Amino acid sequence: MKQSTYPLELLLGMKYYASDADGIGGTLRGEPEDFIVEELPLEKKGGDSGPYLICRLTKTNWELQHAIKEIAKRLGISHRRIGWAGTKDRNAVTRQLISLYHVTPDQISGIRLKDITLEPVGQSNEALSLGDLLGNRFDILIRDCDPAELETRVREISATVSQAVPNYFGLQRFGATRPVTHLVGECILRGDFEKAVITYIGLAFPGEPEYVRSVRTAFSASRDIQAALSGLPPQMSYERSMLHYLYTHPDDYSGALQELPPKLLSMFVSAFQSYIFNSALSRRLDDGHTLTEPVVGDRLIFANGRTDTVTGTNRGAVSLHIGRGRCSIALFMPGKEPVEPRGEGEQATLSLLAEYGITGKDFERASAFVRTKFDGAWRPLALRTAVDSSVTEKNVRLKFSLPPGHYATTVCREFMKGDPVHMV
C-alpha cells in the first residue's frame, strides 16, 4: 500500500493507494470522448404509463445541473420538474435517463442544444430520483502514460482493483477545479449561512483564471456585490444568482443559498459527509488495518443493503464471504440518526465529527433547510471491479462497471497515481 504525496488529495482525506506498483501516469479526459459513461438503469421503474416522460439524455462536456437548467429553459418549465438517477461527469460523453413531469415527446423534439440529444423512451408514474440505477459502465482512455513496463504495471494494478482499493469519494464530489463543496456543507451544518455564501462565491483556487480569482478574492474581502456582478462571467450563473439576490435582499444569506437548485444545496452537505468518510477510511488504514481483513466490531454490508457485525465467533466465516465478494466491511456516513460505536470505524467517524463540532442535531437542522434527508448510511470501504484493459503505445484503455455512488476516477487514480489535476 502506497501513500499519496499530493496536497489536494490529502486535503480531501484520500491518503492511500492499494497497489504497491508504480503508477502509469498519463492524462485523463484529454478529450470528452476519452471518458464515456453509460448509465445502467433499473427496469421499468414506475410502470409503463404516467405523467413522467422518460428520456435518454446524451451530453458531451456539459455539467448536469447546467444541462438540466438549459433543457428546462427551452421547455419553459421549472428545472424542479426534471429528475435523474445519477450525477454524471462534465468533461465526458455521458448517457443516462431523466424524467420530465407533464412534458410530451413533441416538446422534446423541438429542443436544439449543442452537444445534447434527448430521446423519449417511455412513460412512468414516478419521477427518477438519485440512486434509481443499477450502476454505470465506463470506457476510459488514459493518454500519454509512462511507457516503461506499461503492460506489466497495468496488469498488476488490474489485479489489485479486482480485489480491493479504497472506496474514496472522488475529486468531482468536492469540485474538480474548486474543491469547496464540503466546506460550504460544513458551514450549512453549523448554520453559518453567511460564511457558506462567502465561501462559495469568494474562495479562490489556483486552477481558475486569474481574473476570476481576483474577483472572488476582492468580494471575500470587501463584500462589494456590484463589483462581483460586474467581474464574474455570465456562465457563473450560481454565483451570480446569489449575488443578485443579495443585492435586493441585503444580508439575507439564507435566502441567497435558497436561490441554488435544491439538489446542489443537498450536494454541499453530502460532500461534507463524503469528506468525513474519506478521512475515517484513511484513519483505519493509518492504524494498519487492511481493506478486506475484518476486525471484531466492524460493520458489514451485503449487496441487498443488509448489515451485520463482525464478532470473534464469525470472523473466519466473514473473511471467506468478503473474499468471495458477498459482503464488504463498511463505514458509516454520518447523519442525524445516532450510531452506536461498536467498532473502530464508527469511533473514527465520531471522533472526526467531534473535532469539527458537528452533531446529529446539525444534520437535522440542515435537513430542514435543504429539504433533504440526511439520516446517514453505511458505505463499503473497499471498491472492487473486473477491469478489461488494453495498451496501445503510450495509451491505456480501461473498461469496467461500478455500482451507484462509486467513482470511476477512484479506479483511474489507482492506475495513474498522478497529480489529481490530470484527472479532471
Coordinates of all heavy atoms in Angstrom, one line a residue, residues 281-359:
L281 N -11.8 6.5 6.6 CA -11.2 5.4 5.9 C -9.7 5.4 6.0 O -9.0 4.5 6.2 CB -11.7 5.3 4.5 CG -11.0 4.3 3.5 CD1 -11.0 2.9 4.1 CD2 -11.7 4.4 2.1
S282 N -9.1 6.6 5.8 CA -7.7 6.8 5.8 C -7.2 6.5 7.3 O -6.1 6.0 7.4 CB -7.3 8.2 5.4 OG -7.4 8.3 4.0
R283 N -7.9 6.9 8.3 CA -7.5 6.7 9.6 C -7.5 5.2 9.9 O -6.6 4.7 10.7 CB -8.5 7.4 10.6 CG -8.3 8.9 10.7 CD -8.9 9.5 11.9 NE -8.6 10.9 11.9 CZ -9.0 11.7 12.9 NH1 -9.7 11.3 14.0 NH2 -8.7 13.0 12.9
R284 N -8.4 4.4 9.4 CA -8.4 3.0 9.5 C -7.1 2.4 8.9 O -6.4 1.5 9.5 CB -9.6 2.4 8.9 CG -9.6 0.8 8.9 CD -10.7 0.2 8.1 NE -10.7 -1.2 8.1 CZ -11.3 -2.0 9.0 NH1 -12.0 -1.4 9.9 NH2 -11.2 -3.3 8.9
L285 N -6.7 2.9 7.7 CA -5.5 2.4 7.1 C -4.3 2.9 7.9 O -3.3 2.2 7.9 CB -5.5 2.9 5.6 CG -6.6 2.3 4.8 CD1 -6.6 2.9 3.4 CD2 -6.6 0.8 4.7
D286 N -4.3 4.1 8.4 CA -3.3 4.6 9.3 C -3.0 3.6 10.4 O -1.8 3.4 10.8 CB -3.6 6.0 9.9 CG -3.5 7.1 9.0 OD1 -2.8 7.0 8.0 OD2 -4.2 8.2 9.3
D287 N -4.0 3.0 10.9 CA -3.9 2.1 12.1 C -3.4 0.7 11.7 O -3.3 -0.2 12.5 CB -5.2 2.0 12.8 CG -5.7 3.2 13.5 OD1 -4.8 4.1 13.8 OD2 -6.9 3.4 13.8
G288 N -3.1 0.5 10.4 CA -2.5 -0.7 9.9 C -3.5 -1.8 9.5 O -3.1 -2.9 9.2
H289 N -4.8 -1.5 9.5 CA -5.8 -2.4 9.0 C -5.8 -2.5 7.5 O -5.5 -1.5 6.8 CB -7.2 -2.1 9.6 CG -7.2 -2.0 11.1 ND1 -6.9 -3.1 11.8 CD2 -7.6 -1.1 12.0 CE1 -7.0 -2.8 13.1 NE2 -7.5 -1.6 13.2
T290 N -6.3 -3.6 7.0 CA -6.5 -3.7 5.5 C -7.9 -3.4 5.1 O -8.8 -3.2 5.9 CB -6.0 -5.1 5.0 OG1 -7.0 -6.0 5.4 CG2 -4.7 -5.5 5.6
L291 N -8.1 -3.5 3.8 CA -9.5 -3.2 3.3 C -10.4 -4.5 3.3 O -11.6 -4.4 3.2 CB -9.4 -2.8 1.8 CG -8.7 -1.4 1.6 CD1 -8.4 -1.3 0.1 CD2 -9.5 -0.3 2.1
T292 N -9.7 -5.6 3.5 CA -10.5 -6.9 3.4 C -10.4 -7.8 4.6 O -11.2 -8.7 4.7 CB -10.0 -7.7 2.2 OG1 -8.6 -7.9 2.3 CG2 -10.3 -7.0 0.9
E293 N -9.5 -7.5 5.6 CA -9.5 -8.3 6.8 C -10.3 -7.7 7.9 O -10.0 -6.6 8.4 CB -8.0 -8.5 7.2 CG -7.2 -9.4 6.4 CD -7.8 -10.8 6.4 OE1 -8.2 -11.3 7.5 OE2 -7.9 -11.4 5.3
P294 N -11.4 -8.4 8.3 CA -12.3 -7.8 9.3 C -11.7 -7.8 10.7 O -10.9 -8.6 11.0 CB -13.5 -8.8 9.2 CG -12.9 -10.1 8.8 CD -11.8 -9.8 7.8
V295 N -12.1 -6.8 11.4 CA -11.7 -6.6 12.8 C -13.0 -6.7 13.6 O -14.1 -6.3 13.2 CB -11.1 -5.2 13.0 CG1 -10.7 -5.0 14.5 CG2 -9.9 -5.1 12.1
V296 N -12.9 -7.4 14.8 CA -14.1 -7.5 15.7 C -14.7 -6.1 15.9 O -14.0 -5.2 16.3 CB -13.7 -8.2 17.0 CG1 -14.9 -8.2 18.0 CG2 -13.2 -9.6 16.7
G297 N -16.0 -6.0 15.7 CA -16.7 -4.8 15.8 C -17.0 -4.1 14.5 O -17.8 -3.2 14.4
D298 N -16.3 -4.5 13.4 CA -16.6 -4.0 12.1 C -18.0 -4.2 11.7 O -18.6 -5.3 12.0 CB -15.6 -4.6 11.0 CG -14.3 -4.0 11.0 OD1 -14.1 -2.9 11.5 OD2 -13.4 -4.6 10.4
R299 N -18.6 -3.3 11.0 CA -19.9 -3.5 10.3 C -19.7 -4.1 8.9 O -18.7 -3.7 8.3 CB -20.7 -2.2 10.2 CG -21.0 -1.5 11.5 CD -21.9 -2.4 12.4 NE -22.2 -1.7 13.6 CZ -23.4 -1.0 13.9 NH1 -24.3 -1.0 13.0 NH2 -23.5 -0.4 15.0
L300 N -20.6 -4.9 8.5 CA -20.6 -5.5 7.2 C -21.8 -5.0 6.4 O -22.9 -4.8 7.0 CB -20.6 -7.0 7.3 CG -19.5 -7.7 8.1 CD1 -19.8 -9.2 8.2 CD2 -18.1 -7.5 7.4
I301 N -21.7 -4.8 5.1 CA -22.8 -4.5 4.3 C -22.8 -5.5 3.1 O -21.8 -5.8 2.5 CB -22.7 -3.1 3.8 CG1 -24.0 -2.7 3.0 CG2 -21.5 -2.8 2.9 CD1 -24.2 -1.2 2.8
F302 N -24.1 -6.0 2.9 CA -24.3 -7.0 1.8 C -24.9 -6.3 0.6 O -25.4 -5.2 0.7 CB -25.2 -8.1 2.4 CG -24.5 -9.0 3.4 CD1 -24.4 -8.6 4.7 CD2 -23.9 -10.2 3.1 CE1 -23.8 -9.3 5.7 CE2 -23.3 -11.0 4.0 CZ -23.3 -10.6 5.4
A303 N -24.9 -7.0 -0.5 CA -25.4 -6.5 -1.7 C -26.9 -6.0 -1.6 O -27.3 -5.0 -2.3 CB -25.3 -7.5 -2.9
N304 N -27.7 -6.6 -0.8 CA -29.1 -6.2 -0.6 C -29.3 -5.1 0.4 O -30.4 -4.7 0.8 CB -29.9 -7.4 -0.2 CG -29.5 -8.1 1.1 OD1 -28.6 -7.6 1.8 ND2 -30.2 -9.1 1.5
G305 N -28.2 -4.6 1.0 CA -28.2 -3.5 1.9 C -28.2 -4.0 3.4 O -28.2 -3.1 4.3
R306 N -28.4 -5.3 3.6 CA -28.4 -5.8 5.0 C -27.0 -5.6 5.6 O -26.0 -5.6 5.0 CB -28.7 -7.3 4.9 CG -28.8 -7.9 6.3 CD -29.2 -9.4 6.2 NE -28.2 -10.2 5.6 CZ -27.2 -10.8 6.3 NH1 -27.1 -10.6 7.6 NH2 -26.4 -11.6 5.6
T307 N -27.0 -5.3 6.9 CA -25.8 -5.1 7.6 C -25.7 -6.1 8.7 O -26.6 -6.7 9.2 CB -25.7 -3.7 8.2 OG1 -26.8 -3.5 9.2 CG2 -25.8 -2.6 7.2
D308 N -24.4 -6.4 9.2 CA -24.1 -7.3 10.2 C -22.9 -6.8 11.0 O -22.3 -5.8 10.5 CB -24.0 -8.7 9.7 CG -24.2 -9.8 10.7 OD1 -24.3 -9.4 11.9 OD2 -24.2 -11.0 10.4
T309 N -22.5 -7.5 12.0 CA -21.4 -7.0 12.8 C -20.4 -8.2 12.9 O -20.8 -9.4 13.1 CB -21.8 -6.6 14.2 OG1 -22.7 -5.5 14.1 CG2 -20.6 -6.1 15.0
V310 N -19.1 -7.9 12.8 CA -18.1 -8.9 13.0 C -17.8 -9.2 14.4 O -17.7 -8.3 15.3 CB -16.7 -8.5 12.3 CG1 -15.7 -9.5 12.5 CG2 -16.9 -8.2 10.9
T311 N -17.8 -10.5 14.8 CA -17.6 -11.0 16.1 C -16.4 -11.9 16.1 O -15.9 -12.3 15.1 CB -18.8 -11.7 16.7 OG1 -19.0 -12.9 16.0 CG2 -20.1 -10.8 16.7
G312 N -15.9 -12.2 17.3 CA -14.8 -13.2 17.4 C -15.2 -14.6 16.9 O -14.4 -15.3 16.4
T313 N -16.5 -14.9 17.0 CA -17.0 -16.2 16.5 C -17.1 -16.3 15.0 O -16.8 -17.3 14.4 CB -18.4 -16.5 17.2 OG1 -18.3 -16.4 18.6 CG2 -18.9 -17.8 16.8
N314 N -17.6 -15.2 14.4 CA -17.9 -15.3 12.9 C -16.8 -14.7 12.1 O -16.9 -14.7 10.8 CB -19.2 -14.6 12.6 CG -19.2 -13.1 12.8 OD1 -18.1 -12.5 12.9 ND2 -20.4 -12.5 12.7
R315 N -15.7 -14.3 12.7 CA -14.7 -13.6 11.9 C -14.1 -14.4 10.8 O -13.9 -13.9 9.7 CB -13.6 -13.1 12.9 CG -12.5 -12.3 12.2 CD -11.5 -11.8 13.3 NE -10.4 -11.1 12.6 CZ -9.3 -10.7 13.3 NH1 -9.2 -10.9 14.6 NH2 -8.4 -10.1 12.7
G316 N -13.9 -15.7 11.0 CA -13.3 -16.5 10.0 C -14.3 -16.7 8.8 O -13.9 -16.6 7.6
A317 N -15.5 -16.9 9.1 CA -16.5 -17.0 8.0 C -16.7 -15.7 7.3 O -16.8 -15.7 6.0 CB -17.9 -17.4 8.6
V318 N -16.6 -14.6 8.0 CA -16.7 -13.3 7.3 C -15.6 -13.1 6.3 O -15.8 -12.6 5.2 CB -16.7 -12.2 8.4 CG1 -16.5 -10.8 7.7 CG2 -18.0 -12.2 9.2
S319 N -14.4 -13.5 6.7 CA -13.2 -13.3 5.8 C -13.5 -14.1 4.5 O -13.2 -13.6 3.4 CB -12.0 -13.9 6.4 OG -11.6 -13.1 7.5
L320 N -14.1 -15.3 4.6 CA -14.4 -16.0 3.4 C -15.5 -15.3 2.5 O -15.4 -15.2 1.3 CB -15.0 -17.4 3.7 CG -13.9 -18.4 4.3 CD1 -14.6 -19.7 4.7 CD2 -12.8 -18.7 3.3
H321 N -16.5 -14.7 3.2 CA -17.6 -14.0 2.5 C -17.0 -12.8 1.8 O -17.4 -12.5 0.6 CB -18.7 -13.6 3.4 CG -19.5 -14.7 3.9 ND1 -20.0 -15.7 3.0 CD2 -20.0 -15.0 5.1 CE1 -20.7 -16.6 3.7 NE2 -20.8 -16.2 5.0
I322 N -16.1 -12.1 2.4 CA -15.5 -10.9 1.8 C -14.7 -11.3 0.6 O -14.8 -10.6 -0.5 CB -14.6 -10.1 2.9 CG1 -15.5 -9.5 3.9 CG2 -13.8 -9.0 2.2 CD1 -14.7 -8.9 5.1
G323 N -13.9 -12.3 0.8 CA -13.1 -12.8 -0.4 C -13.9 -13.2 -1.6 O -13.4 -13.1 -2.7
R324 N -15.1 -13.7 -1.3 CA -16.0 -14.1 -2.5 C -16.9 -13.0 -2.9 O -17.7 -13.3 -3.8 CB -16.8 -15.3 -2.0 CG -15.9 -16.6 -1.8 CD -16.7 -17.7 -1.1 NE -15.8 -18.8 -0.8 CZ -16.2 -19.9 -0.1 NH1 -17.4 -19.9 0.5 NH2 -15.3 -20.9 0.1
G325 N -16.7 -11.8 -2.4 CA -17.5 -10.7 -2.9 C -18.9 -10.6 -2.4 O -19.7 -9.9 -2.9
R326 N -19.2 -11.4 -1.3 CA -20.6 -11.4 -0.8 C -21.0 -10.3 0.1 O -22.1 -9.9 0.2 CB -20.9 -12.8 -0.1 CG -20.8 -14.0 -1.0 CD -20.9 -15.3 -0.2 NE -20.8 -16.4 -1.1 CZ -20.7 -17.7 -0.6 NH1 -20.6 -17.9 0.7 NH2 -20.6 -18.7 -1.5
C327 N -19.9 -9.7 0.7 CA -20.2 -8.5 1.5 C -18.9 -7.7 1.6 O -17.8 -8.1 1.1 CB -20.6 -9.0 2.9 SG -19.4 -10.0 3.8
S328 N -19.0 -6.6 2.2 CA -17.8 -5.7 2.4 C -17.8 -5.1 3.8 O -18.9 -4.9 4.4 CB -17.8 -4.6 1.3 OG -16.7 -3.7 1.5
I329 N -16.7 -4.8 4.3 CA -16.6 -4.0 5.5 C -17.1 -2.6 5.2 O -16.8 -2.1 4.1 CB -15.1 -3.9 6.0 CG1 -14.6 -5.4 6.3 CG2 -15.0 -3.1 7.3 CD1 -13.1 -5.4 6.4
A330 N -17.8 -2.0 6.1 CA -18.5 -0.8 5.8 C -18.1 0.3 6.9 O -17.8 0.0 8.0 CB -20.0 -0.9 5.8
L331 N -18.2 1.5 6.5 CA -18.0 2.7 7.4 C -19.3 3.5 7.3 O -20.0 3.5 6.3 CB -16.8 3.6 7.0 CG -15.5 3.0 7.2 CD1 -14.4 4.0 6.7 CD2 -15.2 2.6 8.7
F332 N -19.6 4.2 8.4 CA -20.8 5.0 8.4 C -20.7 6.4 7.9 O -19.7 7.1 8.2 CB -21.3 5.1 9.9 CG -22.7 5.6 10.0 CD1 -23.8 4.8 9.6 CD2 -23.0 6.8 10.6 CE1 -25.1 5.2 9.7 CE2 -24.3 7.2 10.7 CZ -25.3 6.5 10.3
M333 N -21.6 6.7 7.0 CA -21.7 8.1 6.5 C -22.6 8.8 7.5 O -23.8 8.5 7.7 CB -22.4 8.1 5.1 CG -21.6 7.4 4.1 SD -20.5 8.5 3.3 CE -21.6 9.7 2.5
P334 N -22.1 9.8 8.2 CA -22.8 10.4 9.4 C -24.0 11.2 8.9 O -24.1 11.7 7.8 CB -21.8 11.3 10.0 CG -20.9 11.7 8.9 CD -20.8 10.5 8.0
G335 N -25.0 11.2 9.8 CA -26.3 11.9 9.6 C -27.0 12.2 10.9 O -26.3 12.2 11.9
K336 N -28.3 12.5 10.8 CA -29.0 12.9 12.0 C -29.3 11.7 13.0 O -29.6 11.9 14.1 CB -30.3 13.6 11.7 CG -31.3 12.8 10.9 CD -32.5 13.7 10.6 CE -33.6 12.9 9.8 NZ -34.7 13.7 9.4
E337 N -29.3 10.5 12.4 CA -29.6 9.3 13.2 C -28.3 8.9 14.1 O -27.2 8.9 13.5 CB -30.0 8.1 12.3 CG -31.3 8.3 11.6 CD -32.4 8.5 12.5 OE1 -32.5 7.9 13.6 OE2 -33.3 9.3 12.2
P338 N -28.5 8.7 15.4 CA -27.4 8.3 16.2 C -26.8 6.9 15.8 O -27.6 6.1 15.4 CB -28.0 8.3 17.6 CG -29.4 8.1 17.4 CD -29.8 8.7 16.1
V339 N -25.5 6.7 16.1 CA -24.9 5.5 15.8 C -24.1 5.0 17.0 O -23.4 5.8 17.6 CB -23.8 5.6 14.6 CG1 -23.2 4.3 14.4 CG2 -24.5 6.1 13.3
E340 N -24.4 3.8 17.4 CA -23.6 3.2 18.5 C -22.3 2.7 18.0 O -22.1 2.0 17.1 CB -24.4 2.0 19.0 CG -23.7 1.3 20.2 CD -24.4 0.0 20.6 OE1 -25.6 -0.2 20.1 OE2 -23.9 -0.8 21.4
P341 N -21.2 3.3 18.6 CA -19.8 3.0 18.2 C -19.4 1.6 18.6 O -18.7 1.4 19.6 CB -19.0 4.1 18.9 CG -19.7 4.4 20.1 CD -21.2 4.2 19.8
R342 N -19.7 0.6 17.8 CA -19.4 -0.8 18.1 C -17.9 -1.1 17.8 O -17.3 -2.0 18.3 CB -20.3 -1.8 17.4 CG -21.8 -1.6 17.8 CD -22.6 -2.7 17.1 NE -24.0 -2.5 17.3 CZ -25.0 -3.2 16.8 NH1 -24.7 -4.2 15.9 NH2 -26.3 -3.0 17.0
G343 N -17.4 -0.5 16.7 CA -16.1 -0.8 16.3 C -15.2 0.4 16.0 O -15.7 1.6 16.2
E344 N -14.0 0.2 15.6 CA -13.1 1.3 15.3 C -13.5 2.2 14.2 O -13.2 3.4 14.3 CB -11.7 0.7 15.0 CG -11.1 -0.1 16.1 CD -9.7 -0.6 15.8 OE1 -9.0 0.0 14.9 OE2 -9.3 -1.6 16.4
G345 N -14.3 1.7 13.2 CA -14.8 2.6 12.2 C -15.7 3.6 12.6 O -15.5 4.8 12.3
E346 N -16.7 3.2 13.4 CA -17.6 4.2 14.0 C -16.9 5.2 14.9 O -17.2 6.4 15.0 CB -18.8 3.6 14.7 CG -19.7 2.8 13.9 CD -19.4 1.3 13.9 OE1 -18.3 0.9 13.5 OE2 -20.3 0.5 14.3
Q347 N -16.0 4.7 15.7 CA -15.2 5.5 16.6 C -14.4 6.6 15.9 O -14.4 7.8 16.3 CB -14.3 4.7 17.5 CG -15.1 3.8 18.5 CD -14.2 2.8 19.2 OE1 -13.0 2.7 18.9 NE2 -14.8 2.0 20.0
A348 N -13.8 6.2 14.7 CA -13.1 7.2 13.9 C -14.0 8.3 13.3 O -13.7 9.5 13.4 CB -12.4 6.5 12.8
T349 N -15.2 7.8 12.9 CA -16.2 8.8 12.3 C -16.6 9.8 13.4 O -16.7 11.0 13.2 CB -17.4 8.1 11.7 OG1 -16.9 7.2 10.6 CG2 -18.4 9.0 11.2
L350 N -17.0 9.2 14.6 CA -17.5 10.1 15.7 C -16.4 11.0 16.2 O -16.7 12.2 16.5 CB -18.1 9.2 16.8 CG -19.3 8.4 16.4 CD1 -19.7 7.5 17.6 CD2 -20.5 9.3 16.1
S351 N -15.2 10.5 16.2 CA -14.1 11.4 16.6 C -13.9 12.5 15.7 O -13.6 13.7 16.1 CB -12.8 10.5 16.7 OG -11.7 11.3 17.0
L352 N -14.0 12.3 14.3 CA -13.9 13.4 13.4 C -15.0 14.4 13.5 O -14.7 15.6 13.5 CB -13.9 12.8 11.9 CG -12.6 12.1 11.5 CD1 -12.8 11.2 10.3 CD2 -11.6 13.2 11.1
L353 N -16.2 13.9 13.7 CA -17.3 14.8 13.9 C -17.1 15.7 15.1 O -17.4 16.9 15.2 CB -18.6 14.0 14.0 CG -19.1 13.4 12.7 CD1 -20.4 12.5 13.0 CD2 -19.5 14.4 11.7
A354 N -16.6 15.1 16.2 CA -16.3 15.8 17.4 C -15.3 16.9 17.2 O -15.4 18.0 17.7 CB -15.9 14.9 18.5
E355 N -14.3 16.6 16.4 CA -13.2 17.6 16.1 C -13.8 18.8 15.4 O -13.4 19.9 15.5 CB -12.1 16.9 15.2 CG -11.3 15.9 16.0 CD -10.3 15.2 15.0 OE1 -10.1 15.7 13.9 OE2 -9.9 14.1 15.4
Y356 N -14.8 18.5 14.5 CA -15.5 19.6 13.8 C -16.7 20.2 14.6 O -17.2 21.2 14.1 CB -16.0 19.2 12.4 CG -14.9 19.1 11.4 CD1 -14.1 17.9 11.3 CD2 -14.5 20.2 10.7 CE1 -13.1 17.8 10.3 CE2 -13.5 20.1 9.7 CZ -12.8 18.9 9.6 OH -11.7 18.8 8.7
G357 N -17.0 19.6 15.7 CA -18.1 20.1 16.5 C -19.5 19.9 15.8 O -20.4 20.7 16.0
I358 N -19.6 18.9 15.0 CA -20.8 18.6 14.2 C -21.6 17.5 14.9 O -21.0 16.5 15.3 CB -20.6 18.3 12.8 CG1 -19.8 19.4 12.1 CG2 -21.9 17.9 12.1 CD1 -20.6 20.7 11.9
T359 N -22.9 17.7 15.2 CA -23.7 16.7 15.8 C -24.9 16.3 15.0 O -25.1 16.9 13.9 CB -24.3 17.2 17.2 OG1 -25.2 18.3 16.9 CG2 -23.1 17.8 18.0

